[in-house]
Amino acid sequence: MTTTPKTSVPTRALGATGPAVSALGLGCMGMSALYGEADRAESIATVHAALDAGVTLLDTGDFYGMGHNELLINEALRTAPAAARERALTSVKFGALRTVEGGFTGYDGRPAAVKNFAAYSLQRLGTDHIDVYRIARVDPDVPIEETVGAIAELVEAGHVRHIGLSEVGADTLRRAAAVAPIADLQIEYSLISRSIEEKILPTARELGIGVTAYGVLSRGLISGHFTRDRELAAGDFRGFSPRFQGDNLRHNLDLVDRLRAVAEAKGVTVAQTAIAWVLAQGQDIVPLIGARRRDRLAEALGALDVTLDAADLAAIEEAVPADAAAGARYPEAQMAHLDSEH
Ligand SMILES: NC(=O)c1ccc[n+]([C@@H]2O[C@H](COP(=O)([O-])OP(=O)(O)OC[C@H]3O[C@@H](n4cnc5c(N)ncnc54)[C@H](OP(=O)(O)O)[C@@H]3O)[C@@H](O)[C@H]2O)c1
C-alpha cells in the first residue's frame, strides 16, 4: 500500500468552523451492523483503500455493533501507513442505548453520560481525540443545550475537536448553535429523501453549519444493485424499512429504472448518479458512502468525476421527482425519534 493518494479526492469545509474533509466520507456502519454479515478483512481493506484514495473522513457510532465498529476502525488505522492514519478524521455518534439482544431502548444525552460514552469511544478507537462528536438522536429528556454543553467541555479538555449534530430540526440547530460552534449536521439526504430542503438546510446554511449526508443511496435502494428478489439476513434494516416492502419496493425500483436510463445515457452507474446529485447540491454537503467492499468504494469514488450540468440535473429530477418514493425513510417507531421530522 502506498501513502500517496491514487485518486485525487477534493476537500470540502465542514461548516464555517469545522475541518476540511474529503468531499466524500466513508460511513463504516455496514461493516458492523444493520446490513447483514460483513467480511472483516474486506472491511479493513476497504478502509485502507479509502484512506489510500484520499478519503479522510471516517464515520462511525459507538453503538454500531456495540463497539465493534470502533474497534474495527482502530485496527484499520493501526495497520494503515502513518501518513494515511494522520490524515484520518473520526466522526463518532453516541447516545443510543442497547440491549444484550441488540435492541434499541432510547437515548441518553445527560452530561455525565456524554463524558462516559466519550471515554469508552476513545479507548476503543485507540486515539486521544475524536474529531467530530455528536449524539445520534436528541434525548427527549435532556435539553440539547446540556448535551452540547457537555461536548463543548470535552472540546475544552482536548478530547474532542468539533461538535456535530444528527437528525435534528431547524429549532434544535439554532438552540445548539447558541451554546457552541457546530461543525456539521449529519442527516439523511438523497434523491428520494429531500425533506431537509425546506427548512433544515437553509437554517444550517444561515448558521454556517455543514451537512454530512447519509443514506445517499437510500440504504442501497437507489444504488442500482438492489433487486426485488434480494434475500435479507435477519436484523437487516431493510427487512423492516417501509421503502423496501412489497408494493413500495416495486414502485421504488421502478424509479431506479428511470434513473438508470439517465445514468446510462451519461455512461455512468446509477450509484454514481445518485451520489453526484447530492454532491451537486452544495459545497457545504459531504456525502457519506456506506461502502464495505473495495469494488463498491471504487464505484462510489467514481462519482467525484461525474459532472452534472443543468440539463442532467433536470433529467434526473424528471426521472425521480422529489417525494416520488413510496414509504417513509424509517419505520414509524424510529421516525418518532427524529427531531428533524417534528
Ligand atoms: N446519523 C444517522 O442517523 C445515520 C444513520 C444511518 C447511517 N449513518 C452513517 O452514514 C453512513 C452511510 O449510510 P448508509 O450506509 O445507510 O448509506 P447508503 O450509502 O445509502 O447505503 C449503503 C448501502 O448501499 C449499498 N451500495 C451499493 N452500491 C454501493 C456503492 N457503490 N457504494 C456504497 N454503497 C453501495 C451497500 O451495499 P452492500 O449491501 O453491497 O454492502 C449498502 O447496503 C453509515 O455508514 C453511517 O456511518 C448515519
Side-chain angles (χ1 to χ4, degrees):
M1 198 164 122
T2 64
T3 54
T4 316
K6 287 190 195 104
T7 309
S8 136
V9 177
T11 57
R12 290 186 169 189
L14 212 53
T17 61
V21 300
S22 50
L24 291 177
L26 183 65
C28 300
M29 178 182 80
M31 298 176 184
S32 300
L34 286 168
Y35 298 145
E37 273 305 291
D39 180 306
R40 187 178 182 86
E42 181 60 27
S43 294
I44 288 175
T46 304
V47 176
H48 286 169
L51 294 172
D52 193 34
V55 170
T56 60
L57 182 65
L58 302 179
D59 186 72
T60 182
D62 61 10
F63 50 93
Y64 292 164
M66 289 172 277
H68 180 278
N69 206 236
E70 291 178 321
L71 291 168
L72 185 113
I73 289 174
N74 177 331
E75 185 179 339
L77 289 176
R78 246 188 311 114
T79 53
R85 184 166 57 243
E86 278 152 27
R87 284 195 300 270
L89 300 167
T90 52
S91 160
V92 181
K93 288 178 292 302
F94 67 88
L97 302 175
R98 309 289 312 263
T99 64
V100 175
E101 291 74 24
F104 284 82
T105 56
Y107 296 91
D108 193 343
R110 293 170 303 156
V114 173
K115 291 174 185 174
N116 176 71
F117 284 127
Y120 279 84
S121 281
L122 287 168
Q123 184 67 28
R124 281 187 295 255
L125 287 165
T127 56
D128 63 359
H129 71 273
I130 292 164
D131 291 286
V132 193
Y133 201 44
R134 71 188 86 240
I135 190 160
R137 299 285 181 269
V138 174
D139 177 347
D141 297 326
V142 178
I144 193 69
E145 288 82 355
E146 289 183 22
T147 303
V148 166
I151 310 177
E153 287 176 21
L154 290 169
V155 172
E156 185 83 4
H159 306 312
V160 167
R161 293 271 157 85
H162 301 278
I163 306 172
L165 292 164
S166 172
E167 284 290 354
V168 305
D171 292 347
T172 304
L173 275 179
R174 284 189 197 286
R175 285 172 54 191
V179 175
I182 306 295
D184 73 322
L185 166 65
Q186 189 171 113
I187 196 160
E188 186 162 1
Y189 188 39
S190 75
L191 260 174
I192 62 168
S193 302
R194 297 179 57 173
S195 56
I196 73 167
E197 289 175 356
E198 196 187 330
K199 218 170 147 196
I200 296 175
L201 188 54
T203 305
R205 286 182 167 155
E206 178 199 323
L207 297 170
I209 297 173
V211 168
T212 43
Y214 77 83
V216 168
L217 299 178
S218 196
R219 322 291 189 142
L221 178 60
I222 58 167
S223 67
H225 299 294
F226 202 89
T227 53
R228 285 179 176 80
D229 53 4
R230 172 141 170 193
E231 290 199 13
L232 298 171
D236 190 313
F237 173 82
R238 297 165 293 199
F240 41 90
S241 164
R243 288 188 172 167
F244 288 82
Q245 312 307 316
D247 287 346
N248 286 352
L249 180 61
R250 268 186 288 281
H251 170 91
N252 293 332
L253 288 179
D254 285 347
L255 293 176
V256 175
D257 285 340
R258 293 164 59 99
L259 187 59
R260 194 185 310 277
V262 180
E264 280 176 3
K266 260 195 95 62
V268 299
T269 71
V270 176
Q272 287 167 344
T273 308
I275 297 165
W277 182 86
V278 176
L279 280 166
Q281 303 311 305
Q283 285 292 321
D284 53 349
I285 300 175
V286 174
L288 294 175
I289 298 309
R292 51 197 186 150
R293 292 177 5 206
R294 284 167 288 182
D295 57 344
R296 298 288 197 239
L297 172 75
E299 180 187 25
L301 291 177
L304 291 164
D305 298 324
V306 179
T307 307
L308 300 176
D309 61 20
D312 295 325
L313 290 169
I316 291 168
E317 302 221 10
E318 199 190 327
V320 185
D323 296 328
R329 59 193 180 95
Y330 279 97
E332 215 176 303
Q334 292 179 28
M335 284 296 273
H337 282 299
L338 299 177
D339 182 76
S340 51
E341 296 284 344
H342 296 160

